[in-house]
């Protein structure tokens, strides 16, 4: 089933290159298309209404898949146990998880601007951006793993959010310490011209010019 999320808010998008999970870094890290399990990722926050509508679509695809497996003589033993791409964060805010596995070096999520101009493959979508997303809802069963995946094909950027810096994981030193202060620029020195008779000279040349002027006095 093809499904579209309209005017949702991007959450931790990773579309500028393939990514893979790293236990050492405890996060996703950039990689190449050849890396096993490499994929493109993009979550998106949903409103309650969007979440409910998406949940209906996910459950419909899953129920159809369970029926097909039953008809094919491969019944799902625990049809109520399935991985759901709809989730909530630690604040109870609903979001959807979308991804596209890397099949070859040509694999990428097509990204478009608000006028449908195609963006470069390495375009870096930012968290907080307002986007539309097109996915294919697919049910799967592989060994003990079963559930629904949302295969991301296209992202349209309605509004691009500013890139945010990661939060600082320290606390300010309450006992004093180094505080950076920018050096104040010294005010430029204004050199006044000195008048000797009919001549104007700069201060650094005052002595020499005065001497020359005095030599010209006819007495």
């Amino acid at each position: 089933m093809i499904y579209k999320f309209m005017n949702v808010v991007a959450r931790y998008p990773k579309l500028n290159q393939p990514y893979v999970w790293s236990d050492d870094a405890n996060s996703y890290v950039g990689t190449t298309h050849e890396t096993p399990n490499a994929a493109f990722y993009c979550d998106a926050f949903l409103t309650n209404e969007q979440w409910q509508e998406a949940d209906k679509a996910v459950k419909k695809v899953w129920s159809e898949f369970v029926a097909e497996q039953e008809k094919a003589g491969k019944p799902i033993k625990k049809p109520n146990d399935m991985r759901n791409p709809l989730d909530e964060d630690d604040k109870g805010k609903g979001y959807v998880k979308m991804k596209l596995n890397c099949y070859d070096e040509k694999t990428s999520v097509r990204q478009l601007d608000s006028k449908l101009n195609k963006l470069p493959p390495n375009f870096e979508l930012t968290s907080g951006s307002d986007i539309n997303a097109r996915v294919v809802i697919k049910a799967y069963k592989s060994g003990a793993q079963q559930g629904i995946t949302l295969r991301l094909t296209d992202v349209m950027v309605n509004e691009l959010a500013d890139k945010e810096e990661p939060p600082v994981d320290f606390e300010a030193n309450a006992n004093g310490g180094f505080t950076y202060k920018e050096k104040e620029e010294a005010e430029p020195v204004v050199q006044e011209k000195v008048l000797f008779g009919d001549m104007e000279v700069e201060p650094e040349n005052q002595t020499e010019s005065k001497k020359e002027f005095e030599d010209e006095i006819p007495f």
Side-chain angles (χ1 to χ4, degrees), residues 79-135:
N80 295 327
D81 293 342
M82 52 90 98
R83 288 190 175 182
N84 195 325
L86 297 170
D87 205 346
E88 295 182 356
D89 64 8
D90 55 3
K91 297 179 181 178
K93 192 171 182 180
Y95 68 94
V96 60
K97 295 177 283 188
M98 303 171 284
K99 67 181 289 188
L100 177 65
N101 291 325
C102 285
Y103 303 105
D104 54 42
E105 62 181 10
K106 295 182 180 179
T107 302
S108 65
V109 176
R110 183 168 57 177
Q111 299 185 78
L112 310 165
D113 68 11
S114 61
K115 303 300 182 184
L116 299 183
N117 297 309
K118 190 174 181 179
L119 298 169
N122 62 348
F123 175 77
E124 192 169 351
L125 181 64
T126 52
S127 289
S129 297
D130 184 298
I131 64 171
N132 300 335
R134 180 186 184 275
V135 300

Side-chain angles (χ1 to χ4, degrees), residues 122-160:
N122 62 348
F123 175 77
E124 192 169 351
L125 181 64
T126 52
S127 289
S129 297
D130 184 298
I131 64 171
N132 300 335
R134 180 186 184 275
V135 300
V136 178
I137 304 177
K138 293 182 66 68
Y140 67 90
K141 178 172 175 55
S142 178
Q145 305 295 326
Q146 62 186 39
I148 292 289
T149 183
L150 301 183
R151 184 161 63 87
L152 182 62
T153 62
D154 298 271
V155 168
M156 176 178 171
V157 184
N158 300 314
E159 295 290 342
L160 184 65

Side-chain angles (χ1 to χ4, degrees), residues 68 171 188:
E68 290 173 359
E171 292 183 2

Side-chain angles (χ1 to χ4, degrees), residues 23-58:
D23 288 334
D24 293 338
N26 194 33
S27 65
Y28 287 95
V29 296
T31 185
T32 61
H33 289 76
E34 295 78 15
T35 304
N37 301 318
F40 298 89
Y41 297 87
C42 184
D43 297 351
F45 285 114
L46 309 177
T47 64
N48 290 335
E49 183 179 352
Q50 290 172 329
W51 202 97
Q52 295 297 332
E53 289 298 317
D55 187 53
K56 290 178 184 178
V58 165

Side-chain angles (χ1 to χ4, degrees), residues 16 20 22 26 39 43-44 80 84 103 139 156 173 184 195 206 213-214:
N16 60 320
V20 68
S22 169
N26 194 33
D43 297 351
N80 295 327
N84 195 325
Y103 303 105
M156 176 178 171
N173 189 342
E184 296 183 359
L195 183 64
Q206 179 177 342
F213 176 76
E214 290 176 346

